[in-house]
Structures are given as structure tokens and as C-alpha cells.
Amino acid sequence: MPSTVTVLLYSSNARTREQVRMAIGRSPAPDIPPVAFVECATLPAVLLALDASRIDACVLDGEAVPIGGMGVCWQIKNEVFRCPPVLLLIGRPQDAWLATWSHADAVITLPPDPVEIAASLAALLRT
């Protein structure tokens, strides 16, 4: 097992990125190594990070602007070879059906509940 896991965190909102980092903490579960975050605020930064770094999982903000996490998820799932698993953050539970379209591996609502986001991310990192 690696000494750290790398999680790409995409949101145009710095506060959302901070909430996610704080909710996940140092590690999402005792059996998961510490998390190193790669923060991105734009789609080009996401694509560059996925191309340049080993990313173990992505957390994408569905409420990001101008390009929401659902669109980013759809694009990377269709264009990135061996795309890492994606945890999609959505603003309303009613939007969960869109996650199916975007090919997200897991979905939770904002603001992130620490227990829920940690459990969801840990499950993705174990796969």
C-alpha cells in the first residue's frame, strides 16, 4: 500500500474545497493512508493534474462554475484512460439522477457530512 493517496479536489469555490478537506481530515479511514490533495479550480487544471500526476480518486463539486463537476466527471470518464473513481458533490438530492449520466462512482450532497464523505471516499479508494 502506498504511503499516501492522492485525491484531486475540484471546485471553483475555495470555501467548498476547504470544507471537503476538513471533512475528510488526514485520512478518511484507519486502513487508508494519509491523503494528499491536489486542488483545482478550473477544468484545464483538472485535466493537467490527471495527465501529470498519479491520482487515486477525484472529488468534484457539481455546483462549480462555469463548468460543474457533473460535466467534468462526464468528460474525464470518457476521455481519461483509466480514469480514477469519482465522488460527485451535488447541491440537491434531486440531482442524483444526473450523476448516472456523468458516470460518477459515488454521490453525496453538499455541504459535505464528515462521516458520509469519509466513508464514500474510503470505499472508492479501496477499489
Side-chain angles (χ1 to χ4, degrees):
M1 181 156 271
S3 59
T4 62
V5 292
T6 304
V7 174
L8 184 146
L9 174 55
Y10 166 70
S11 178
S12 58
N13 185 322
R15 177 74 179 127
T16 299
R17 293 193 308 268
E18 179 185 22
Q19 286 177 335
V20 170
R21 284 192 326 273
M22 297 299 289
I24 292 169
R26 186 168 186 256
S27 174
D31 63 323
I32 303 292
V35 172
F37 288 100
V38 174
E39 293 189 42
C40 301
T42 66
L43 175 59
V46 168
L47 298 175
L48 182 63
L50 286 168
D51 187 47
S53 307
R54 186 204 83 208
I55 303 294
D56 298 298
C58 299
V59 177
L60 307 178
D61 178 8
E63 303 300 307
V65 292
I67 302 170
M70 288 185 207
V72 172
C73 184
W74 187 90
Q75 182 170 348
I76 66 174
K77 286 291 190 172
N78 286 286
E79 295 179 2
V80 174
F81 181 66
R82 293 189 180 153
C83 183
V86 173
L87 172 59
L88 184 61
L89 309 174
I90 59 174
R92 304 176 318 143
Q94 299 89 332
D95 293 335
W97 70 272
L98 284 170
T100 303
W101 167 83
S102 72
H103 305 292
D105 298 285
V107 181
I108 64 168
T109 56
L110 289 168
D113 173 271
V115 173
E116 183 181 22
I117 195 169
S120 294
L121 182 60
L124 292 179
L125 290 167
R126 288 183 189 113
T127 60

